[in-house]
Amino acid sequence: AQSVAQPEDQVNVAEGNPLTVKCTYSVSGNPYLFWYVQYPNRGLQFLLKYITGDNLVKGSYGFEAEFNKSQTSFHLKKPSALVSDSALYFCAVRDSSGSARQLTFGSGTQLTVLP
Amino acid sequence: DGGITQSPKYLFRKEGQNVTLSCEQNLNHDAMYWYRQDPGQGLRLIYYSQIVNDFQKGDIAEGYSVSREKKESFPLTVTSAQKNPTAFYLCASSIVPRLAEPRSYEQYFGPGTRLTVT
């Protein structure tokens, strides 16, 4: 079975400070990992993905994520937060072993960037 | 929101009525999905379809039904059997997921429909 956890329901950070949104996963094989962002009353927008290769993945809007196999984590980061980054962020995983059919999403983390 | 449209944006129904949510895509994707989003629970998969005239149940299919008569369209019916239908419903699409093609797991989402049943 595959699963993903986002341990923080809410993250607050001051504008200009670095931000981190945490994600851990559990899979049988190798993971395919994704981050999506959702603005109020909108659908999800793709930010970035890790499939293979470099552990540091760069995505849209200055976001990046670091894949750590030993810690089974895929934390989302940004060096300098903007107020416009305030949104709901979802991590998702798919096990490459084929034991699961679709993506599994985390419960989401509400990021608030304070001016 | 790409090439996926969902209508209406807001929908209100009385308890006991069936209601159908529309989802259309012009991305030429074979696979389409319906998710339900509730506060603090993330996205839960209701149904998905990888080809016309075929679909599979997701994790929470009870009280829902779908059809896939055209590649572009994947309507979801919330029936009166669904005990807690009030939620935000999201439709998504992708190319058909294949293990050897990791990018096929990247899904594109519509803007969502907020259903309120009273």
Side-chain angles (χ1 to χ4, degrees), chain B residues 84-115:
Chain B
N84 296 297
T86 294
F88 190 51
Y89 290 87
L90 288 161
C91 179
S93 71
S94 74
I95 62 176
V96 175
R98 297 184 182 88
L99 279 177
E101 183 55 65
R103 72 182 180 96
S104 65
Y105 295 100
E106 185 176 327
Q107 295 181 9
Y108 296 79
F109 285 80
T113 292
R114 187 166 296 281
L115 173 65

Side-chain angles (χ1 to χ4, degrees), chain A residues 19 21 35-48 59-63 76 78 80-90 108-113, chain B residues 1-2 6 9-10 37 43 88-90 109-114:
Chain A
L19 70 86
V21 182
W35 275 103
Y36 287 84
V37 60
Q38 184 182 34
Y39 297 99
N41 293 312
R42 302 293 298 276
L44 274 65
Q45 297 178 30
F46 170 79
L47 274 180
L48 51 80
S60 307
Y61 313 122
F63 283 94
L76 181 70
K78 188 173 182 181
S80 178
L82 300 172
V83 172
S84 58
D85 293 329
S86 299
L88 187 57
Y89 290 81
F90 289 97
T109 298
Q110 180 67 49
L111 172 68
T112 300
V113 180
Chain B
D1 300 327
Q6 291 185 243
K9 190 171 179 65
Y10 298 96
Q37 183 178 12
L43 276 65
F88 190 51
Y89 290 87
L90 288 161
F109 285 80
T113 292
R114 187 166 296 281

Side-chain angles (χ1 to χ4, degrees), chain A residues 13-58:
Chain A
V13 63
E15 187 175 28
N17 283 1
L19 70 86
T20 299
V21 182
K22 296 179 180 177
C23 171
T24 59
Y25 65 90
S26 175
V27 295
S28 303
N30 293 316
Y32 299 148
L33 292 156
F34 303 80
W35 275 103
Y36 287 84
V37 60
Q38 184 182 34
Y39 297 99
N41 293 312
R42 302 293 298 276
L44 274 65
Q45 297 178 30
F46 170 79
L47 274 180
L48 51 80
K49 65 176 181 279
Y50 171 82
I51 303 300
T52 187
D54 289 341
N55 290 342
L56 186 63
V57 178
K58 294 188 183 297

Side-chain angles (χ1 to χ4, degrees), chain A residues 71-83:
Chain A
Q71 296 185 7
T72 61
S73 67
F74 189 56
H75 300 332
L76 181 70
K77 300 181 180 184
K78 188 173 182 181
S80 178
L82 300 172
V83 172

Side-chain angles (χ1 to χ4, degrees), chain B residues 10-68:
Chain B
Y10 298 96
L11 192 53
F12 298 88
R13 280 293 182 271
K14 295 288 189 185
E15 192 173 329
Q17 294 179 334
N18 291 355
V19 60
T20 297
L21 282 59
S22 168
C23 177
E24 304 276 335
Q25 55 98 0
N26 62 4
L27 300 171
N28 200 33
H29 286 164
D30 286 300
M32 296 186 74
Y33 313 81
W34 273 106
Y35 293 92
R36 170 180 171 139
Q37 183 178 12
D38 296 282
Q41 295 194 47
L43 276 65
R44 293 183 289 169
L45 183 64
I46 305 172
Y47 268 98
Y48 64 98
S49 168
Q50 296 191 358
I51 194 170
V52 173
N53 292 323
D54 188 43
F55 46 83
Q56 284 78 42
K57 293 181 179 180
D59 300 322
I60 56 164
E62 186 176 349
Y64 299 97
S65 65
V66 293
S67 63
R68 188 84 188 277

